[in-house]
Amino acid sequence: MPPRKLPRHLVWLESFAAAVESGSLEGAAEHLGVARSVVSEHIRALEDTLADGQPLLERGPGRRLHLTARGEKLYEGTQTPLHQLDLKRLRDLASAEASLRLGLNPTLSNFLLAGIAGDVARSGIKLEVSFGGTFELVRQVQTRQLDLAVDFTPLPPHRGVEAESLLHLPFVILAGPGSELSQRHGPRRTLHVRDLDGQPFVDWQREDPYGSANSARFAAHEVTVREVSRVQSFLHLFDLLRAYHACAIAPDLRLLRSFPEDLCVWPLREEQPQFVEVVTLRPSGGPGSEAAQLVLGGLRQRLASKRRRSDPAPL
C-alpha cells in the first residue's frame, strides 16, 4: 500500500513547525530531507493562505528565526492532533482576530454562559462554544483543542491541564411536588440520607461519580431506595422528579441560580460532608491567552459575589 499523502496545508505546516523548532530554514530542510527553497516555499504558501501574506516568522539576533504574534498563535495550535487541523481551523489560529475556544459542562452552560458571552462580546472576541462531559472536556484541553473549559469535579486524572477551583457546592436533597418526602418532611430544615429509606429515587447514571457516591451513602447507612429513573444532567432532573413524585441527591446549585419553586429542597446532613467544585481547566504551561484570562476574571468576580451574598450575616 503506498504511503498516505498529507493534505497540502499539513505539508506546509510541517515545514513551518520544523523551522520554528530548529530556528532556521536550513535546519528545517535538513530535518525534513528537502531543499531549503522547499521549506521557504511552504512557509510562504502558509502565510499567503492563512495570514493574508503577513509574516509568521521573522529574523532575530544571530539571524535565528522567531515567531511573530500571529505565528506564535498558529504554532501553539500545531500541538492539536492532525485530524483537527483543517484549513478553517488554521485560518482561525493565524488570524489577527482574538478568539476563544470554550468548552462547557451542559448544566453549567445553563448558569454561566450568558455572563461569559457578555464579557467576550464586549471585548470584541470571537467565541467558539462546545459542550461535553468531563472526560471529553479534559481530553480536549489536554490536546489543546480548547483554550478553556468549565466543569464540575470530580475530574479524571489528567496531565498537561491546569485546574482552578472557583466554587464549592454542598449536596442537597430535592423532592418533586406531591411526593411523600415533601408531605412528610416539608418543614424540616435538613434531612439525612436515612430519611430516604423506601422512597422513589432518581439517581445519576452508573458511570457518573455522583451515582457512585449515592450508592456508597446508601450502603453505609443500610438505606434502600426505589430507583425509578436515572439522569445525566440537571437539565433533565427536575422534570423526572415531578413526573415520578420522587427525590434525588444533587449538588446545591442555588449559588448559581434558584431551583424551581415547586421543588422541595433540604441541605443534606452528613457525618463527613462532601462537596462538588466548579472548576476551570486550561492547557498547562502558561497563563493562557488574554481572552481566557478575561473569561476567568469575570467568572471569579461573579462567583465571588454570589458567595458573599449567600454568606450568613454576622451576629
Side-chain angles (χ1 to χ4, degrees):
M1 179 182 295
R4 185 177 59 145
K5 190 173 181 180
L6 288 174
R8 278 190 311 167
H9 67 277
L10 295 183
V11 175
W12 301 339
L13 192 66
E14 185 179 36
S15 290
F16 168 73
V20 172
E21 290 160 9
S22 65
S24 69
L25 298 182
E26 294 78 11
E30 182 179 348
H31 172 72
L32 297 172
V34 298
R36 179 190 183 280
S37 60
V38 172
V39 174
S40 179
E41 182 183 331
H42 287 173
I43 293 174
R44 190 162 51 249
L46 205 61
E47 290 170 339
D48 289 342
T49 303
L50 304 181
D52 303 317
Q54 297 300 307
L56 299 170
L57 291 165
E58 58 189 7
R59 296 283 185 184
R63 294 189 57 77
R64 186 174 177 84
L65 291 174
H66 292 275
L67 289 162
T68 64
R70 294 174 80 163
E72 187 171 348
K73 189 178 171 188
L74 176 63
Y75 179 69
E76 185 177 311
T78 66
Q79 312 309 308
T80 299
L82 284 181
H83 71 276
Q84 296 287 335
L85 296 176
D86 58 21
L87 268 175
K88 181 180 184 303
R89 177 68 199 130
L90 291 178
R91 284 194 182 96
D92 287 343
L93 287 169
S95 170
E97 180 185 28
S99 64
L100 179 73
R101 295 169 297 167
L102 175 69
L104 287 170
N105 169 287
T107 296
L108 282 173
S109 70
N110 231 22
F111 301 103
L112 301 179
L113 182 55
I116 292 173
D119 291 341
V120 173
R122 283 189 293 273
S123 299
I125 295 170
K126 177 181 177 181
L127 182 61
E128 301 175 40
V129 183
S130 61
F131 309 98
T134 296
F135 283 91
E136 183 180 3
L137 292 177
V138 168
R139 180 183 58 78
Q140 290 184 335
V141 172
Q142 283 176 318
T143 56
R144 297 180 180 269
Q145 296 174 57
L146 292 175
D147 303 307
L148 188 69
V150 188
D151 198 7
F152 290 117
T153 58
L155 298 170
H158 52 274
R159 291 180 297 178
V161 176
E162 292 184 11
E164 177 183 342
S165 175
L166 298 179
L167 193 65
H168 284 67
L169 304 173
F171 282 87
V172 294
I173 294 174
L174 297 171
S179 65
E180 181 184 343
L181 202 67
S182 64
Q183 294 171 359
R184 183 190 302 175
H185 298 296
R188 292 268 296 275
R189 297 192 63 180
T190 64
L191 292 185
H192 192 277
V193 68
R194 286 188 293 267
D195 294 312
L196 305 186
D197 196 38
Q199 294 297 313
F201 191 79
V202 179
D203 206 354
W204 305 92
Q205 299 288 358
R206 283 291 175 246
E207 64 271 17
D208 192 298
Y210 302 148
S212 302
N214 287 338
S215 298
R217 289 181 175 106
F218 297 147
H221 295 93
E222 298 182 344
V223 167
T224 301
V225 296
R226 293 188 291 112
E227 184 182 284
V228 294
S229 182
R230 293 184 187 175
V231 70
Q232 189 113 23
S233 167
F234 264 93
L235 304 179
H236 313 122
L237 176 62
F238 305 143
D239 287 336
L240 292 172
L241 291 177
R242 296 183 183 106
Y244 286 96
H245 306 294
C247 59
I249 297 175
D252 188 353
L253 294 184
R254 286 176 293 183
L255 276 176
L256 301 175
R257 185 180 295 175
S258 300
F259 286 129
E261 292 184 0
D262 61 334
L263 299 183
C264 289
V265 186
W266 302 269
L268 176 61
R269 189 171 71 254
E270 299 189 89
E271 291 78 7
Q272 295 182 325
Q274 300 181 51
F275 295 89
V276 170
E277 296 174 271
V278 176
V279 295
T280 59
L281 308 169
R282 63 180 186 271
S284 58
S289 66
E290 290 185 15
Q293 290 300 310
L294 172 76
V295 169
L296 275 172
L299 279 172
R300 292 185 190 115
Q301 184 176 359
R302 281 189 292 275
L303 294 181
S305 173
K306 290 177 182 293
R307 278 198 303 270
R308 286 193 296 271
R309 288 202 299 270
S310 70
D311 288 341
L315 297 175

